[in-house]
Amino acid sequence: MEAVLAKYENQINVFSEFLEDLPDTDEPVWVLGECYNAKTGKTELLSDVHSRLWFTYRKKFSPIGGTGPSSDAGWGCMLRCGQMILAQALVCSQLGRAWRWRAQGGQPEKYHRILHCFLDRKDSCYSIHQMAQMGVGEGKSVGEWYGPNTVAQVLKKLALFDDWNSLAVYVSMDNTVVIEDISTQCRSGFGTTTTCPHSQSHSDWRPLLLVIPLRMGINHINPVYIQALKECFKMPQSCGVLGGKPNLAYYFIGFVGEELIYLDPHTTQSAVEAGSGVDDQSYHCLRSPRRMKITNLDPSVALGFFCKSEDDFDSWCNLVQQEIQMKRNLRMFELVENHPPHWPPFVPPTKPEVQTTGAEFIESTDKLFESEEEFEILNV
């Protein structure tokens, strides 16, 4: 059944390529905090989109868990979108937002190191294998479809084992972002044996991937949230949005007019063998980006933001207060200074005392995190 579904999706995608192109418009095109003119800046716009790491369904990888599926076609689209939003955070952290991929090669070593984190093998820290098996702790069987909130919880756990990037992944609860808790999490680990040796020596603030699961309506997106959603893509800290349609996940990277721009994981490619000379062409979407009307978006989403420094986070907080909280009668989410007194105490997630990642950690890490119920938001 999965193979039939994947083939059907691929046929749709091939047909869609003839329909999709950049609009001939004077309206600005926003991509992850960058603004482009579709008429005069098309080359720069496409270069930006092509530079994003693009993760799709893969087949013929080693079976997940040894005896599980060897392809994620038909069920792994939200996991692939989760990989894309995390990869964007790592690219911004290690290479900078202005970095651009070149098809002719010559990428920096840090780029290849980031890419290797996502290869479809059990020992890559953010592989489909690691994500699917870590999802078991979130109540998801291997091969089961994920929602935006669940994949965010999986990313938060896996990031604990990534000492190279030392990324803090904060997932908001109850539509509320708590500044005090983020500060605690981003400062945790400094001055102890768990400090990442690659951290910036001049800072005691870990780079932050902030994920905000939301429900912006009942069955359809409430139009009152549309402008605020657009403002999120304009912020320099924008890391994209996880969402899509029921059981059909996309990674949204921007908008033009009343349409969202997204990368689509619903293409099945063969798994790439790991090695020093990994062919990275299939990890970049070289066609024009796809678009869909904002009003067709499923209301269940997760907003992503990357803040490399404390100043960057402070700037994001100011933008949220100015562009989302002060101007909107109905807020997308709340930004509060202090931890709500009626909530359980905030404890920054910590890595178990183990040396390698793998399926053997799933059982032990489950005991370190709050229950799924604590994180669940309405119908996510």
Side-chain angles (χ1 to χ4, degrees):
M1 178 61 186
E2 289 180 2
V4 173
L5 179 59
K7 182 177 180 182
Y8 174 67
E9 288 173 336
N10 288 343
Q11 288 174 341
I12 292 176
N13 289 341
V14 169
F15 177 68
S16 297
E17 288 183 41
F18 294 102
L19 304 179
E20 296 284 340
D21 200 0
L22 289 170
D24 185 22
T25 177
D26 291 321
E27 292 193 78
V29 182
W30 286 92
V31 174
L32 300 173
E34 298 287 337
C35 184
Y36 296 96
N37 184 306
K39 290 183 176 179
T40 62
K42 184 174 182 179
T43 299
E44 292 77 10
L45 168 58
L46 289 177
S47 174
D48 193 351
V49 173
H50 297 166
S51 296
R52 301 313 110 212
L53 281 168
W54 178 51
F55 298 114
T56 71
Y57 289 155
R58 295 277 174 170
K59 60 184 179 180
K60 300 180 181 178
F61 49 68
S62 61
I64 296 175
T67 58
S70 57
S71 172
D72 62 313
W75 59 270
C77 54
M78 184 59 82
L79 294 178
R80 296 301 185 178
C81 291
Q83 287 180 323
M84 285 190 267
I85 201 170
L86 182 63
Q88 177 60 19
L90 299 187
V91 166
C92 288
S93 179
Q94 297 288 352
L95 302 173
R97 178 64 183 88
W99 172 81
R100 295 294 180 264
W101 176 77
R102 296 188 299 273
Q104 63 271 28
Q107 320 303 337
E109 175 59 33
K110 286 183 177 180
Y111 162 82
H112 292 289
R113 192 167 179 179
I114 291 170
L115 184 57
H116 272 260
C117 291
F118 297 92
L119 295 183
D120 300 303
R121 45 185 296 166
K122 62 181 181 180
D123 58 349
S124 293
C125 56
Y126 301 117
S127 67
I128 192 74
H129 300 68
Q130 295 282 6
M131 295 187 73
Q133 291 184 303
M134 191 63 84
V136 173
E138 297 296 322
K140 295 291 185 180
S141 301
V142 175
E144 190 174 350
W145 197 84
Y146 285 43
N149 185 53
T150 304
V151 78
Q153 301 301 332
V154 167
L155 293 177
K156 183 180 77 171
K157 291 183 178 182
L158 288 178
L160 296 172
F161 300 100
D162 180 7
D163 288 329
W164 175 48
N165 289 289
S166 191
L167 185 71
V169 179
Y170 175 93
V171 184
S172 68
M173 271 177 54
D174 297 335
N175 294 5
T176 304
V177 176
V178 183
I179 296 174
E180 178 185 21
D181 293 348
I182 289 177
S183 179
T184 299
Q185 184 170 345
C186 287
R187 295 182 190 282
S188 67
F190 289 101
T192 71
T193 56
T194 58
T195 300
C196 174
H198 299 277
S199 300
Q200 298 295 320
S201 59
H202 64 274
S203 174
D204 60 354
W205 181 276
R206 294 159 61 200
L208 167 71
L209 173 59
L210 168 58
V211 185
I212 309 174
L214 298 174
R215 190 162 185 89
M216 301 188 294
I218 307 296
N219 297 314
H220 305 281
I221 183 172
N222 188 327
V224 300
Y225 294 119
I226 289 178
Q227 188 56 42
L229 180 62
K230 290 180 178 181
E231 293 298 331
C232 291
F233 286 113
K234 293 180 181 180
M235 295 179 181
Q237 298 83 5
S238 174
C239 206
V241 173
L242 302 177
K245 301 175 182 178
N247 295 332
L248 204 62
Y250 301 133
Y251 173 45
F252 295 97
I253 59 173
F255 75 94
V256 54
E258 300 306 313
E259 293 182 313
L260 295 172
I261 300 169
Y262 65 92
L263 296 179
D264 187 351
H266 299 91
T267 294
T268 305
Q269 306 184 85
S270 293
V272 173
E273 290 294 324
S276 58
V278 170
D279 181 6
D280 64 344
Q281 295 275 341
S282 66
Y283 291 101
H284 296 273
C285 186
L286 302 183
R287 53 179 172 246
S288 292
R290 296 217 166 97
R291 308 188 312 278
M292 65 175 277
K293 292 183 179 179
I294 299 179
T295 51
N296 291 338
L297 179 67
D298 187 86
S300 180
V301 302
L303 310 178
F305 302 94
F306 173 74
C307 302
K308 187 167 185 176
S309 65
E310 186 173 10
D311 286 345
D312 205 13
F313 177 62
D314 291 342
S315 174
W316 177 82
C317 291
N318 290 332
L319 283 171
V320 168
Q321 291 166 348
Q322 295 169 15
E323 301 299 332
I324 293 181
Q325 295 199 324
M326 292 177 62
K327 293 183 179 179
R328 317 291 162 205
N329 293 327
L330 194 58
R331 297 175 180 176
M332 294 177 76
F333 59 88
E334 294 293 329
L335 178 65
V336 299
E337 186 71 40
N338 298 314
H339 187 85
H342 59 282
W343 281 12
F346 177 75
V347 180
T350 55
K351 181 175 66 171
E353 290 301 319
V354 287
Q355 300 302 316
T356 57
T357 63
E360 65 269 22
F361 298 148
I362 302 304
E363 186 174 340
S364 63
T365 53
D366 285 345
K367 301 173 184 176
L368 300 176
F369 294 88
E370 298 89 340
S371 67
E372 171 74 5
E373 288 74 18
E374 286 187 39
F375 285 105
E376 271 307 327
I377 58 175
L378 182 63
N379 203 30
V380 171

